[in-house]
Amino acid sequence: AQPRRAAGPQPISQVAAGITPQAAPQRQPTQAGTLFGSPLDQRYTFEGFVEGSSNRVALAAAKTIAEAGAGAVRFNPLFIHSSVGLGKTHLLQAIANAALSSARSPRVVYLTAEYFMWRFATAIRDNDALSLKETLRNIDLLVIDDMQFLQGNSIQNEFCHLLNMLLDSAKQVVVAADRAPWELESLDPRVRSRLQGGVAIEMEAPDYEMRLEILKRRLEAARQEDASLDIPAEILSHVARNITASGRELEGAFNQLLFRRTFEPQLTIERVDELLSHLVAAGEPRRVRIEDIQRVVAKHYNVSRQELVSSRRTRVVVMPRQIAMYLSKTLTPRSFPEIGRRFGGRDHTTVLHAVRKIEDLIASDTKLSHEIELLKRLINE
């Protein structure tokens, strides 16, 4: 069967991004639809997207592309990355929906990586690959989601040709994945290099204000179906402060509250804590990712994450890179070879050298030892 996203009940990722589909205007594209691709959900719009400090830059870039069309090629390709449930799919479909609704009537294709693989495999099986390539050659905007799932040498080779053709023709490309382009180890190096040549923007987890706004919009949307629904502001605020892991947990918490309110109308803060204890998971240590370490170290030393994984050998980059490698080994279960791959494809011996060097420096340099402890606290927070 043809892989696609279900268009049924509201997906969890919508709430993670702050989508309130009932409140969002139902806009229909000026065209019949994309040339081919994964289904677009008309509820995924910019109007339904909750803006916050964690996604403001990505949202601004997405709107610029949707509104300016070919005039926005300075963002080409635009690569949006984040952990699951933070609104990437919403933002990508909002770009496609807005572009299709514009007076320019651009030729737009929205795909998941899974659909791209299925479509090309089908075309090859049916001896229709040339026709498919010709169709893709004439589009104006390519939007592709879940890039981390693109697999297979022949499929990646086809995607590389498509990417080069569109970028060289100044056609807009927007890509999303669950990690930065330089961390997509399974991708062909040529594809990874071309994706790194554009603008990569990370969407981070929502802060308290954004989480509270998401819950308020979710309640407002629920009230459109049942005006009698009510959750006190202090409970919404309490949930927003305590459910911080991801949008999935926030969605689960809200649904739990709605369900309980039907037969426990006088919910207290203590009762809410009992109901949501499995979501808060206060006693569990947070799982540290290498990309978290890179982000914190890069910010602390005023360099970019891309510089940390680059081949630059200046001291301003080398020392932060070695510290990030050391922290990756001490705070995560990753092996030396895997850490090396996450730092620009370096050999495991390079990581081993970095770890031993920082260990030696910590033993003799009190200032650096204190810096390392500070970085560990920042990473774990």
Side-chain angles (χ1 to χ4, degrees):
Q2 173 179 329
R4 62 185 182 85
R5 292 182 182 271
Q10 180 190 8
I12 290 170
S13 59
Q14 287 183 319
V15 174
I19 297 181
T20 52
Q22 296 91 336
Q26 302 296 309
R27 299 186 302 173
Q28 296 298 322
T30 55
Q31 298 184 19
T34 55
L35 297 177
F36 80 89
S38 308
L40 283 176
D41 190 332
Q42 295 305 308
R43 299 173 299 176
Y44 281 119
T45 65
F46 289 129
E47 291 83 353
F49 194 87
V50 175
E51 180 179 353
S53 59
S54 62
N55 62 24
R56 185 165 291 121
V57 175
L59 179 59
K63 285 183 174 179
T64 300
I65 287 172
E67 295 166 2
V73 291
R74 62 184 181 276
F75 295 143
N76 213 7
L78 173 64
F79 193 105
I80 297 172
H81 60 102
S82 77
S83 299
V84 297
L86 298 184
K88 298 186 299 294
T89 295
H90 181 177
L91 202 54
L92 262 63
Q93 291 209 23
I95 292 172
N97 277 321
L100 285 167
S101 299
S102 72
R104 301 188 319 274
S105 296
R107 295 158 295 185
V108 180
V109 170
Y110 168 79
L111 299 166
T112 62
E114 182 186 30
Y115 187 100
F116 182 85
M117 291 188 293
W118 174 84
R119 188 65 181 84
F120 253 103
T122 301
I124 292 171
R125 183 197 65 194
D126 297 339
N127 294 319
D128 194 34
L130 288 178
S131 176
L132 176 59
K133 292 176 186 179
E134 189 61 31
T135 298
L136 289 172
R137 183 188 301 274
N138 295 316
I139 66 175
D140 299 304
L141 170 62
L142 172 66
V143 183
I144 184 163
D145 200 359
D146 295 328
M147 177 55 72
Q148 70 273 10
F149 295 132
L150 192 69
Q151 298 175 358
N153 292 335
S154 61
I155 295 295
Q156 291 200 29
N157 187 54
E158 294 293 352
F159 181 77
C160 187
H161 287 313
L162 172 62
L163 191 62
N164 287 334
M165 178 182 65
L166 293 176
L167 294 178
D168 291 344
S169 303
K171 303 297 180 64
Q172 184 67 52
V173 176
V174 182
V175 179
D178 65 357
R179 69 205 76 153
W182 52 88
E183 294 169 345
L184 294 173
E185 300 163 7
S186 63
L187 280 188
D188 185 297
R190 296 171 301 164
V191 176
R192 206 163 53 231
S193 175
R194 201 71 204 250
L195 292 175
Q196 287 180 236
V199 175
I201 301 175
E202 182 175 15
M203 292 170 56
E204 299 179 348
D207 57 18
Y208 163 73
E209 288 76 14
M210 188 174 170
R211 293 195 299 271
L212 181 59
E213 178 63 20
I214 288 170
L215 290 172
K216 286 179 177 178
R217 290 203 189 185
R218 188 69 177 84
L219 178 59
E220 180 184 349
R223 280 175 175 164
Q224 292 186 10
E225 296 183 358
D226 183 353
S228 67
L229 286 175
D230 183 44
I231 298 177
E234 60 269 20
I235 288 182
L236 288 183
S237 177
H238 183 74
V239 172
R241 288 187 186 283
N242 287 278
I243 308 299
T244 61
S246 78
R248 286 200 174 102
E249 281 74 11
L250 202 60
E251 164 77 345
F254 183 82
N255 288 337
Q256 184 80 277
L257 290 178
L258 280 188
F259 173 70
R260 288 290 175 173
R261 289 285 290 177
T262 59
F263 49 91
E264 292 184 54
Q266 303 301 321
L267 283 176
T268 64
I269 295 293
E270 292 74 20
R271 180 58 176 151
V272 168
D273 284 340
E274 289 179 19
L275 296 171
L276 305 182
S277 60
H278 63 294
L279 295 175
V280 176
E284 296 183 7
R286 175 176 171 272
R287 183 176 68 88
V288 176
R289 303 176 305 159
I290 290 178
E291 50 263 41
D292 298 326
I293 294 171
Q294 291 173 335
R295 181 173 61 250
V296 171
V297 171
K299 184 176 181 181
H300 183 77
Y301 289 103
N302 197 29
V303 297
S304 70
R305 283 180 66 193
Q306 196 156 357
E307 285 178 307
L308 287 182
V309 302
S310 72
S311 58
R312 288 189 61 191
R313 298 289 302 167
T314 58
R315 179 172 174 77
V316 71
V317 174
V318 170
M319 179 59 74
R321 181 186 295 136
Q322 291 177 331
I323 289 172
M325 289 179 177
Y326 166 80
L327 291 170
S328 296
K329 187 57 186 170
T330 56
L331 298 181
T332 78
R334 305 306 177 192
S335 64
F336 285 120
E338 185 170 0
I339 293 171
R341 287 195 296 272
R342 295 293 188 91
F343 282 83
R346 286 175 164 79
D347 188 82
H348 73 280
T349 56
T350 303
V351 182
L352 177 61
H353 169 74
V355 171
R356 288 178 174 172
K357 179 177 179 180
I358 298 302
E359 286 176 341
D360 291 341
L361 288 174
I362 288 174
S364 59
D365 188 333
T366 304
K367 181 181 177 182
L368 179 61
S369 177
H370 290 162
E371 270 192 28
I372 296 293
E373 290 305 313
L374 170 62
L375 287 168
K376 286 181 179 179
R377 289 198 299 273
L378 292 173
I379 290 164
N380 284 313
E381 289 171 2

